[in-house]
Amino acid sequence: MTPTDHHDDENATPESTRESAGSVRDLATVHPLRTCPDQHQSTPPGTVESASPAIEGEIVTDEQWRLYTSQKAQMEWRLAEYKRQALWLSTTARTAVTHERTVSTLKFVGRNVLVYPTLGAVVACKRWRDTHGSSRYERMMRAAELAGDHEKLAEWEARDVTEKQRRHDRAMDWVQSPIQLAKAVALSTVSAAVLLLVLGVILAVAGKGDVLDPITGVIEAIAFCVWFVITYGAFLAIAGTAGVATYLWNLGRTSQSVPQLFRPASARLVDDVIITPSIVVTALRDLRISELRRKIEQMEDGGAAMLSPIRLAGCGVEFDVHLPSGVDTEEVKRKRRKFAENMGRHEHEVFLSTPPSPRTIRVWAADSGELDKPIGPSPLVTDPTITADLYTGRAPWGLDLRGDAVMMSLLQCHLLITGLSKQGKTASLRALALWLALDPSVQLHIADLKGIGDWRMFKPVAETLIEGPTDAHCIQATELLEWGVEEMERRLLAFDGDKYRNGVPRELAKPGGPFAPIVLLVDEAQQAFMNPAVDDQKNPYGGQTSKSRYFMAARKIHNQGRAVNVVLWEGTQDPTDQNLPKLVREGAHVRAALALGTESQSRMALGDKAVDGGAAPHELRSGLDKGTLVVAGEGVPLPAGQASMTVRTHFIDGDDAATVIERAVVIRGGARAEPAQVEATPEVRDVLDDVAEVLAGRDLKATDVAALLRKLAPGYAPYAELTGKALKELLENEGCPVRRKDGIVTVSARYVSDAIADRGPVEGA
């Protein structure tokens, strides 16, 4: 401030001074002010020195202050409003752009305006190039060369040479064509003029016109055509362009090269179900087999030449893949899961087999979800008039993957069905046995070594029925097979080969005939093979040695039984070399396997040939593919070139099975008076004889003797929990004392011999 201003401030009233100071302070809070230290280096006399430097500012009135603050508030409000509107605009734009309807509209426009016509033009160009050049022949030659098919290569090469010669001749014709065309035009013009003049002369003579009237008419017609083209040319051009665009649009729409982004939702859903050549080739290319991928990329047609036509086959499609040279079929088959997933299928919906052609894989792919649907009921249940004839008929067993009925020929066929537990083995075996029951000439002898009633409905028609899981029941099953061996040998000796040169005829196999078919059916046959019991001659009932009774009886029937209508059907679970010996499983003519755990089990069940040909019961889903089995062998209606087939068997529950048996009883002339159900006779052993046998003249501890007794007769219940104390009481009851020796309870061989001698001969011995 100037000195004058300072002087005026001295005369100011305190109120005005305070008001001005307050205004300055308020202004200072709004505007940063500069200080001027050079103006305060000296203090006038008579004044008090200020503690702080002076502030350069401007004193404003209340009206000016209110105006200033209102403008600032408005500016801040406008700034906030601009931000809010910008945020709303961006959010709205993003919502509008990403909205489902907007996206679908843009895709629709892009698909129909840009993608389809472009792809159509590409397809049209390729077709024109193929029809007007030799690119098609060159492409096919490359494909044949990569596939290693030299015969096809030579054929396409000859076609290529012929096409090139034709095109050369045509080009040479075009060289001479201008002169020939000019001559033809000149000749045609002169001829037309002469004709028109002659016509004009005729009209003039007849008084119907002038001589030049025909020529004038032709000129006027040409003039009209020119006028029409000039006048309506735009419409013609538009119509022609629209026609060409529509043609290209349709070509692009039906093309398989439409990007996934632009495909309509319905087409994407259809592509998930329908298998096309492009999908198959892409699936093969993405198997991570470097040689296969390289060969596909080298093919001009993108690998389409590898595929046969895709054919409808039941609830799916079937096609062959001819692999290029250098690619092994096993490499592709090992990647079955990836191949299935690449085609949009689950692993269990794709089956790979090996046809007779080299380097070829036959692929059957089910429609999505079709294999999870149940098949219809058995004809045995739905058709009450159905009958059976083992010699001429076929048993309805189920459906193959193509949906065709599988009809089994069972005449003189040994049968083996195996699989994991609870996969439908008994139901599959029973479905065939029910059909046999409708043939009155077939004699059924059944041993159910599970014994929970799965086969009880056969009681009215079965010649023999054994039900039970114990070792005693296994012994009965063994004796049943040995009876079958005796019957087989009797028939072999009685058969007149000179009279019947073609085997057992139907007249000898009629009901009650000397060679009526006999079916020995053993369910849960692994129980018989693992039976630890031994007979009086120390021959084991189970096992797989030359002395094993069940094993040897099964082998003899497999070797010669079919010739005289004696066959063996077995059902086992979880096959191993111990519970299903190799010689027995290889003796079956029909071998079927439900879901198994490993490939080695599949080879046990079906044989190496079937597994090498594509059979894979170990890839069936345990618990989900119940009743689905892979079958191979004689009597199976296998497709040409295949070693096995997959069958979805009909499930016949207990009530329906009982209904079928009721019909079988009527066909057979009534139920048997007393069904031959074999009850297991409890085994009785002589403890003194057994103890004498295990002692063999020695003195042993009572606990050791008890252990030897359990080993001697593993299936004998009284020995199962036998202890040394219990053995002492048992022997003393038989009159044989047991003493302590060196503080240990010991069984003396002398005391046992004396007890046997004192009791005398055993009753009934």
Side-chain angles (χ1 to χ4, degrees), residues 432-745:
L432 296 177
L434 286 171
W435 183 81
L436 285 183
L438 297 176
D439 185 349
S441 66
V442 177
Q443 301 177 13
L444 292 171
H445 299 265
I446 301 173
D448 177 15
L449 300 184
K450 184 187 299 181
I452 61 172
D454 289 337
W455 297 89
R456 192 160 300 165
M457 69 283 298
F458 283 82
K459 185 183 297 185
V461 297
E463 302 287 334
T464 307
L465 180 60
I466 301 170
E467 291 183 291
T470 66
D471 292 343
H473 293 95
C474 295
I475 292 174
Q476 295 291 341
T478 302
E479 293 173 349
L480 174 64
L481 261 65
E482 291 175 341
W483 170 86
V485 172
E486 294 175 359
E487 177 65 17
M488 174 193 71
E489 293 174 347
R490 183 195 67 79
R491 292 186 176 192
L492 288 171
L493 294 175
F495 184 72
D496 188 354
D498 294 331
K499 183 177 180 180
Y500 304 103
R501 300 179 183 276
N502 296 319
V504 179
R506 183 56 173 165
E507 56 267 21
L508 295 181
K510 291 182 179 180
F515 293 90
I518 294 177
V519 177
L520 305 170
L521 193 154
V522 182
D523 194 13
E524 305 295 341
Q526 75 278 357
Q527 295 280 80
F529 283 112
M530 300 297 290
N531 183 14
V534 295
D535 60 12
D536 296 337
Q537 304 299 323
K538 309 306 179 186
N539 294 322
Y541 285 96
Q544 49 182 319
T545 66
S546 59
K547 294 184 178 181
S548 300
R549 294 177 59 177
Y550 183 90
F551 171 75
M552 292 304 298
R555 284 292 301 135
K556 290 178 180 179
I557 294 175
H558 279 168
N559 288 338
Q560 298 174 318
R562 58 165 295 276
V564 288
N565 285 346
V566 178
V567 296
L568 174 61
W569 288 12
E570 292 178 297
T572 67
Q573 63 174 265
D574 199 11
T576 64
D577 285 329
Q578 288 72 36
N579 62 24
L580 187 60
K582 180 179 180 181
L583 293 178
V584 172
R585 61 179 184 253
E586 291 185 350
H589 301 110
V590 179
R591 302 168 68 175
L594 295 106
L596 293 172
T598 63
E599 182 179 340
S600 62
Q601 287 184 320
S602 298
R603 293 184 180 275
M604 290 181 188
L606 300 178
D608 293 336
K609 180 181 178 181
V611 175
D612 292 338
H618 55 281
E619 294 180 352
L620 295 174
R621 299 169 299 168
S622 178
L624 297 177
D625 291 327
K626 285 186 177 181
T628 300
L629 49 80
V630 182
V631 60
E634 182 181 340
V636 183
L638 296 176
Q642 294 191 16
S644 65
M645 69 183 305
T646 302
V647 180
R648 304 171 69 194
T649 60
H650 295 295
F651 175 71
I652 305 176
D653 61 22
D655 295 335
D656 291 335
T659 303
V660 176
I661 292 298
E662 291 176 0
R663 300 206 310 265
V665 169
V666 175
I667 293 174
R668 289 171 178 258
R672 297 178 57 83
E674 183 63 31
Q677 181 174 2
V678 178
E679 299 291 342
T681 303
E683 184 180 8
V684 179
R685 303 185 68 89
D686 187 282
V687 64
L688 290 178
D689 291 340
D690 288 345
V691 171
E693 180 179 348
V694 298
L695 289 177
R698 301 169 297 172
D699 295 344
L700 297 176
K701 295 188 297 182
T703 55
D704 292 344
V705 175
L708 291 173
L709 289 175
R710 289 194 296 271
K711 186 176 181 181
L712 176 66
Y716 189 50
Y719 292 168
E721 304 294 336
L722 190 63
T723 62
K725 182 178 179 181
L727 177 62
K728 179 177 180 295
E729 296 176 355
L730 189 61
L731 291 176
E732 289 177 347
N733 291 336
E734 296 291 336
C736 176
V738 179
R739 302 285 186 263
R740 287 183 177 271
K741 184 178 181 179
D742 298 331
I744 300 174
V745 178

Side-chain angles (χ1 to χ4, degrees), residues 106-145:
L106 291 176
K107 287 184 178 181
F108 176 81
V109 174
R111 179 169 59 246
N112 290 277
V113 175
L114 180 62
V115 177
Y116 285 170
T118 303
L119 290 177
V122 173
V123 173
C125 290
K126 289 183 178 179
R127 290 182 179 179
W128 186 90
R129 183 188 62 184
D130 289 342
T131 56
H132 293 79
S134 59
S135 59
R136 173 185 300 174
Y137 304 97
E138 294 175 357
R139 184 170 63 249
M140 297 306 295
M141 283 191 293
R142 292 193 187 96
E145 183 178 5

Side-chain angles (χ1 to χ4, degrees), residues 116-117 120-121 124 236-251:
Y116 285 170
L236 295 176
I238 293 173
T241 304
V244 172
T246 303
Y247 173 73
L248 296 179
W249 175 85
N250 186 62
L251 284 180

